[in-house]
Amino acid sequence: MDELALLTDLHRDAARQGPGSDAATRQALALSGLTGRKGLRIADIGCGTGASTLVLAADLDATITAVDFLPDFLSELTLRAQAAGLSGRITCQVAAMEQLDFQDASLDAIWSEGAIYNIGFRTGLRAWRRFLRPGGVLAVSDLTWLTAERPAELDAYWTAVYPEVATAGTKIAQLEAEGYTPLGYLPLSGACWLENYYRPMQARFDAFLARNPGPDAQAIVAADRQEIALYERFSDFVSYGFYIARKTGD
Ligand code: SAM
């Protein structure tokens, strides 16, 4: 199995593939101004198995295109949508976030939880803007420093993994520079990381290693264990920030 197949195997059965919570999605929705509007068209980019997609479909009058480049995650999302009675509102699309083919100015909102880092925060802001209608909403969560200063060990680790990690102030300034008007920011809680993401992942490690004997699976688990240990020590300094913004002018 190649690395992508192993990552799919580790994460496919999970409710979410990154830190987050239904409550945080709903907090972001409350800041977005989308609630109560009719006939919305929304894309959920890097949706994984659809934790946020299902909340959006349940709470909004919307059709949602759920985009991910891993078909197995979208198959899971399809099953979850069926079980929740929400299939009629969700269309799955296997696509790379670097090559989306929505029409210009066709979307009321772009949602993306814990996924924009794959294209890069600023690149994603720039590339996706044209798909939004004037005044359309962008809601993205991305790795964020919670404080102006932080332990060197933590800084070195995340800066190497994701060079665009920055404070909320920096990221909000980037949103403004890329043609968005910020509507709100919220940092994800520790429970979003530990209870909803890391603990369920840790519970899958043994079965994953049993299914996938060999150094590649061991290396994935070792890297995840390192990341979890670091988060447990330094959760005061780093989280995902959820950024909600509106496309400015045109
Ligand atoms: N939004 C989901 C959640 O919060 O549970 C998933 C977050 S997970 C950290 C990132 C997701 O982005 C994965 O589902 C992964 O398959 C997807 N992804 C990574 N690179 C991608 C790309 N280039 N194009 C589309 N999807 C991508």
Side-chain angles (χ1 to χ4, degrees):
M1 261 200 227
D2 65 16
E3 192 183 4
L4 218 47
L6 285 170
L7 289 171
T8 303
D9 185 56
L10 177 58
H11 290 284
R12 178 179 33 211
D13 294 338
R16 54 179 68 249
Q17 285 69 40
S21 71
D22 289 359
T25 301
R26 291 197 161 99
Q27 276 180 281
L29 260 183
L31 292 164
S32 75
L34 294 169
T35 310
R37 288 173 50 189
K38 301 284 178 208
L40 295 166
R41 290 194 58 193
I42 299 177
D44 187 353
I45 301 181
C47 58
T49 58
S52 56
T53 318
L54 295 176
V55 173
L56 299 176
D59 286 18
L60 297 176
D61 182 349
T63 52
I64 298 152
T65 305
V67 180
D68 204 284
F69 76 162
L70 294 180
D72 287 352
F73 285 175
L74 294 177
S75 301
E76 284 296 323
L77 194 166
T78 301
L79 294 176
R80 287 166 199 258
Q82 283 165 358
L86 295 167
S87 309
R89 297 180 171 200
I90 299 170
T91 305
C92 289
Q93 191 179 101
V94 180
M97 62 178 74
E98 298 84 351
Q99 292 167 345
L100 300 173
D101 68 351
F102 297 107
Q103 289 190 341
D104 285 2
S106 65
L107 297 174
D108 296 293
I110 292 177
W111 210 267
S112 185
E113 296 197 19
I116 195 171
Y117 72 89
N118 290 292
I119 187 172
F121 189 71
R122 275 197 97 145
T123 302
L125 300 184
R126 207 169 297 153
W128 298 348
R129 186 178 181 278
R130 68 191 179 92
F131 303 127
L132 286 172
R133 293 194 170 137
V137 168
L138 178 82
V140 295
S141 63
D142 199 38
L143 196 71
T144 296
W145 296 131
L146 301 179
T147 54
E149 295 180 355
R150 63 209 70 92
E153 182 185 349
L154 180 73
D155 197 314
Y157 174 86
W158 277 119
T159 302
V161 172
Y162 184 48
E164 285 193 85
V165 58
T167 60
T170 297
K171 288 188 176 286
I172 287 168
Q174 291 170 345
L175 277 160
E176 290 167 339
E178 296 298 341
Y180 297 88
T181 303
L183 300 174
Y185 157 74
L186 54 111
L188 295 191
S189 68
C192 289
W193 290 76
L194 291 171
E195 288 166 33
N196 297 348
Y197 179 52
Y198 283 150
R199 297 295 179 243
M201 178 165 50
Q202 285 172 308
R204 296 192 303 273
F205 282 159
D206 286 349
F208 169 72
L209 290 171
R211 281 195 304 276
N212 301 285
D216 293 348
Q218 281 168 12
I220 287 173
V221 169
D224 283 335
R225 286 191 168 129
Q226 184 193 5
E227 184 186 305
I228 293 167
L230 208 64
Y231 181 78
E232 286 171 342
R233 287 168 59 208
F234 296 127
S235 60
D236 286 348
F237 300 95
V238 68
S239 188
Y240 271 24
F242 215 141
Y243 300 88
I244 301 91
R246 177 165 50 75
K247 181 179 181 178
T248 312
D250 236 348

